[in-house]
Amino acid sequence: MNNIKYILLSAFFCLSIISGCKKDDTDTGNEGEFYPRIFDRSGAFQLANRIIAEGQSAVFSGLQFSPSDRAEVVWKVNDKVVSSDTAFVFKPTSGGEYKVTVEASFNGQMTSRTSNILVNPNTYSFKPFTNVALAYLSVDGLAKDVDWTKVTHVAFKCAWVNSDGLDVSAGQKNQAADELVARAHINKTPVILGISGNLSGIDGWSRYESNDFGAVIIDPAKRAVLVKQVVNYVTARKMDGVDVMMTDMSIGADKNIAAVDPLIKELKAALPANSIVTATVTTNWLRWGYGKLAAADWVNVHAFEDGAVSPGAARAQPSSYDYMLSCAANWVSIIPKDRIVLGIPAFGLRYTAIDANGNNLSWGSYDYVKYFDILKHDPQAFSKETTDMSFGVFYNGIPLVEKKAKYIKSAGFKGAYLWAADYDVLGEQSLMATIAKDLK
């Protein structure tokens, strides 16, 4: 009996020693070789960018540090030490871009987590400009596609009008619209919400037989609901205006076009003071149906892509200098040129099949290619208007864009817009940079 008691006491004593020597679950290993760790189970650093408005806070809590109670914790904002607590609340006093970093150090080793915070300023003034240099982003556009030194305005085509009203889900994906607005306002650049019906693709034109947008705006009651939805979204996202891209041209086009003017007037009246309201318009015979669009701050003229893609059509430049001149002249007969912003494409027309005469084969033997993809195919494409992709792709390279921009300025037009800015590249081969340079 005494032996059994002795054995039990010995076992208990050993277990007590082992238990007393046990480290916490995250502190295993040789302390001399231990590497500190930060556990972010709450997801405080999950997003690479966090976008908040001035007056809001970014909270970093729920973090665990290892070895617990022994790791030295330091918080930094833009590399300046601001706290040594295990949690941190960042309260910016002004708009801008900030880097928040937490570091955990132990035994000469250090690990860290970083979050970029974009703070949309409450008050800002727009940079001065003489001519509009508008970067128009497609639904896939992002803030990283914009060189803020080269633009006066940015439009984001992230809203669709359908039978259910305004669909803005694309702009909310990964906070794309919020980041764009924050970066724009930090760089003193206004952001315009682009709204349209269904688009056919890269060219930004209407989808065949689509009438979602038109069916809403021709009905005064539905139009009033749409105006309210647009105003609510623009106000909530702190955007600076709206562009109405009228693209429903295949069904009831004349009625749809006629409804753009009252839509512009109602948006202008309902939006906050000094909001920008514009229209992107067609250049064919339907242009007469718009009226003078007097309430619009300016009119974006789709002065590219002449549509010569019928079977047997000669392969040629669809967005030529002469075509832009004819589009400009057509609209000058309706409104003054100092209210006209002329469009320039950042994509090309590619022929995928040709007939025995070397002309376009059929209605389905062409497509469109983004400027940056053309450059991938031919690194020297920026200096030309055509290259040997498939049976030839025709586009606007830097020499043609430069010629167009110089004319726009010298002739007294309000400016130019690029569709779409996210098809462009940044740097020396940029079409947007060329436009900006020649409009100064």
Side-chain angles (χ1 to χ4, degrees), residues 68-94:
S68 58
D69 300 326
R70 282 171 287 170
E72 181 185 354
V73 178
V74 170
W75 291 86
K76 296 179 179 179
V77 174
N78 292 347
D79 298 323
K80 181 181 178 181
V81 176
V82 294
S83 176
S84 58
D85 202 348
T86 56
F88 178 62
V89 178
F90 174 57
K91 299 178 180 179
T93 57
S94 62

Side-chain angles (χ1 to χ4, degrees), residues 182-435:
R183 291 194 183 279
H185 290 174
I186 290 168
N187 287 279
K188 299 183 177 181
T189 304
V191 177
I192 301 168
L193 172 69
I195 62 174
S196 76
N198 289 308
L199 303 183
S200 61
I202 291 174
D203 61 332
W205 202 237
S206 61
R207 185 176 297 172
Y208 184 65
E209 295 297 303
S210 174
N211 195 40
D212 288 347
F213 194 2
V216 171
I217 66 173
I218 63 173
D219 183 322
K222 292 180 179 179
R223 190 170 67 235
V225 173
L226 174 63
V227 168
K228 185 175 181 179
Q229 291 175 327
V230 171
V231 171
N232 288 343
Y233 183 77
V234 168
T235 303
R237 301 269 76 81
K238 298 183 70 174
M239 290 181 167
D240 305 292
V242 181
D243 176 67
V244 178
M245 184 185 283
M246 187 60 246
T247 54
D248 288 350
M249 301 297 180
S250 53
I251 303 176
D254 53 344
K255 294 180 180 178
N256 296 342
I257 292 296
V260 172
D261 187 57
L263 175 60
I264 294 286
K265 290 177 181 176
E266 291 164 23
L267 284 169
K268 192 71 174 177
L271 285 163
N274 301 320
S275 294
I276 300 166
V277 182
T278 61
T280 296
V281 300
T282 184
T283 58
N284 58 18
W285 61 272
L286 288 166
R287 67 185 183 276
W288 295 106
Y290 286 102
K292 296 186 179 298
L293 297 173
D297 290 273
W298 69 76
V299 174
N300 300 313
V301 175
H302 191 284
F304 51 90
E305 193 189 1
D306 62 16
V309 289
S310 58
R315 289 174 289 165
Q317 172 65 264
S319 303
S320 67
Y321 177 75
D322 287 342
Y323 182 66
M324 187 193 76
L325 294 186
S326 66
C327 293
N330 285 341
W331 268 96
V332 166
S333 64
I334 301 172
I335 63 176
K337 63 176 62 175
D338 62 1
R339 294 183 58 232
I340 294 175
V341 173
L342 295 171
I344 295 175
F347 64 89
L349 171 65
R350 175 173 59 183
Y351 295 94
T352 57
I354 56 176
D355 61 20
N357 296 317
N359 298 324
N360 182 43
L361 180 63
S362 68
W363 288 112
S365 60
Y366 68 93
D367 59 14
Y368 299 101
V369 187
K370 298 171 183 178
Y371 177 66
F372 66 73
D373 283 327
I374 296 172
L375 287 177
K376 288 179 183 177
H377 171 79
D378 179 358
Q380 297 302 311
F382 68 91
S383 63
K384 300 179 286 186
E385 292 182 34
T386 184
T387 191
D388 62 350
M389 184 182 285
S390 294
F391 289 95
V393 58
F394 293 82
Y395 58 94
N396 281 204
I398 286 179
L400 180 53
V401 169
E402 188 170 55
K403 184 177 180 180
K404 288 182 175 183
K406 286 181 176 178
Y407 167 77
I408 289 168
K409 181 179 180 179
S410 65
F413 287 91
K414 190 171 186 69
Y417 77 93
L418 185 71
W419 176 269
D422 46 302
Y423 304 165
D424 193 16
V425 295
L426 302 177
E428 294 181 356
Q429 299 174 8
S430 168
L431 303 182
M432 193 69 236
T434 302
I435 291 170

Side-chain angles (χ1 to χ4, degrees), residues 164-186:
D164 296 324
L166 190 69
D167 181 352
V168 292
S169 56
Q172 298 311 104
K173 185 178 180 181
N174 297 322
Q175 292 187 288
D178 290 336
E179 180 178 355
L180 179 68
V181 172
R183 291 194 183 279
H185 290 174
I186 290 168

